[in-house]
Structures are given as C-alpha cells and as structure tokens.
Amino acid sequence: FVFCFFFFFFFFQAEDGIRDVERSRGLGDVYKRQISDNAQNFEFFFNLVQAAVDPYVKFWGISALGRIIKSTYPTYPSTLRQAMHTLYFQLLNQSPNSVLVNAYIEVKYAFLFVALIKADYPSLWPSAFKQLFELVNADHGDLELRIRVVGFILTVLGEFDKEVVEFSDERTAEEFKRVREIKEELKKNGMANVNYFIKEVLASESVLSAN
C-alpha cells in the first residue's frame, strides 16, 4: 500500500512508456489466427477465459483480446467498445477466480485493462478507474479472494505505471498525445477514485494484517 502512495505521488513526474500488449507467441498465435477477426469475437474470448480450465487456454484468450484491441478495435462503433468495457469487469465481478489463477494470467489481464485505457479513456470510458477501484468492495465471499483482488488492482497500477507513466523516447507523436490526455484527465478527475481505493483498503484491518 506504500506502493500506491508513491505511485501516485510520482505519477505526474514521468512521461511516457508503452510496451507491446501482445506477448503471446507460437501455438497461441496459431490459435488466434484460426478465428476470423470480426466485431463479435471479443465476447467469445471473454467466455473462453471464464470457461477454460487450462491456464494456457486462458492466456491465449486474453492474448486474442489484446490482438483485437491492437488491430480492428479502433474501428468499432462506441457501443461495441463500451460492451468490451462491460465484459472486462463483468468477468472480474462475477467470476474473479477465472482471472486470479496465477501471476502470469493476472498480469496479462492487467495489460488488457491498460490497453483499453490507452484506446478509450476518458472519452469512451470515463468510469474505468472508478470501476477498477470499486472491485475492492465487491462481495467476494471470502477474505482470501478479497486479498487477491486487492493484489490484482495493485498489479494493474504497476502495469499502468510501466505502460503509460514511465518515460519512453520510442513513442510516436500520437501515442505521446494520448498519454498526455490520460494524465490530464486523471489529474482533474481521477484522484477521488484513488483516495476511495486507499480509504477502503485501509479501513479493512483484516486485509492489511493478511498482507
């Protein structure tokens, strides 16, 4: 939780930092190429991530979503893009264990959130960070799962720091412009969501003591 404080303290001291959200190779790429890339595919892949038992299949599903975001997603109408946002958090709220399987699945899903932020925040998804931080208060049923959800939120913040906040001189002019837009919006309207998250976590002595 000290990380949270310093992350947001230094948030506006850095500029830049994008890495490739698409990291899957080999069999995962073959699997993704077998499915036509159309506007409805993302729902299929969210369902795949939820239903799959094999973590490698989950990984492929998340990778395919990242591929869609990098390729055809910018051409989608706003209604479909907002449907992607809904499905992203629907999976975390209704079936968190589908994502919180192991570290590499969690990190991959965190990359997906950051990719969506870079594409849609704030114009098409102004509530993105509010929804993220409100996960901490979802009815997860047991303390251990809630702790893992808090850990996932911190993972997202860490990846956001790497992908958006850190400086990189490899960005294009358009990417640099998007980063500025994201950071300006967070400066204006995002800090209340950060404060909410920290307050809710600090209010839970059981979560703190377990960590």
Side-chain angles (χ1 to χ4, degrees):
F1 304 109
V2 173
F3 163 81
C4 275
F5 174 78
F6 282 105
F7 168 77
F8 283 99
F9 181 79
F10 291 109
F11 179 84
F12 302 109
Q13 307 303 314
E15 294 282 344
D16 257 330
I18 281 184
R19 288 177 294 161
D20 186 3
V21 74
E22 183 53 55
R23 286 167 166 73
S24 178
R25 294 294 183 267
L27 184 58
D29 285 334
V30 173
Y31 172 78
K32 286 174 285 183
R33 285 195 298 268
Q34 290 174 343
I35 301 176
S36 62
D37 193 14
N38 61 62
Q40 300 302 321
N41 270 350
F42 62 81
E43 186 171 1
F44 168 83
F45 287 114
F46 277 112
N47 290 335
L48 178 68
V49 174
Q50 180 174 5
V53 176
D54 189 334
Y56 289 102
V57 176
K58 291 180 182 290
F59 187 86
W60 294 338
I62 299 170
S63 296
L65 289 166
R67 178 182 179 134
I68 289 171
I69 293 170
K70 284 185 64 179
S71 57
T72 58
Y73 183 77
T75 69
Y76 290 1
S78 59
T79 52
L80 277 177
R81 292 167 77 154
Q82 288 162 346
M84 174 82 92
H85 310 156
T86 298
L87 287 168
Y88 183 90
F89 278 110
Q90 182 175 295
L91 186 59
L92 285 168
N93 281 304
Q94 296 182 1
S95 185
N97 283 315
S98 298
V99 175
L100 308 181
V101 177
N102 54 45
Y104 68 85
I105 297 294
E106 291 183 27
V107 169
K108 192 71 174 177
Y109 208 66
F111 282 144
L112 199 61
F113 178 84
V114 175
L116 288 169
I117 287 295
K118 289 189 286 189
D120 291 341
Y121 183 83
S123 59
L124 293 178
W125 201 11
S127 64
F129 285 97
K130 182 175 185 290
Q131 289 177 267
L132 175 69
F133 294 136
E134 284 181 346
L135 287 172
V136 73
N137 265 344
D139 184 11
H140 299 298
D142 63 80
L143 177 61
E144 181 183 354
L145 182 55
R146 185 169 188 236
I147 293 169
R148 286 158 59 202
V149 169
V150 171
F152 173 76
I153 296 171
L154 296 177
T155 297
V156 171
L157 295 180
E159 295 309 317
F160 182 79
D161 181 38
K162 295 173 186 175
E163 300 287 337
V164 177
V165 178
E166 287 183 1
F167 179 82
S168 171
D169 57 7
E170 297 179 358
R171 261 205 189 106
T172 66
E174 183 60 29
E175 289 170 338
F176 187 79
K177 179 182 177 182
R178 281 294 296 130
V179 165
R180 276 184 176 265
E181 290 172 352
I182 292 168
K183 293 166 78 171
E184 286 300 316
E185 177 64 20
L186 285 172
K187 279 196 285 188
K188 287 196 305 181
N189 299 313
M191 295 310 295
N193 295 324
V194 175
N195 292 336
Y196 168 85
F197 171 67
I198 295 174
K199 178 182 176 182
E200 291 302 316
V201 172
L202 293 178
S204 176
E205 294 183 8
S206 56
V207 172
L208 284 173
S209 61
N211 278 322

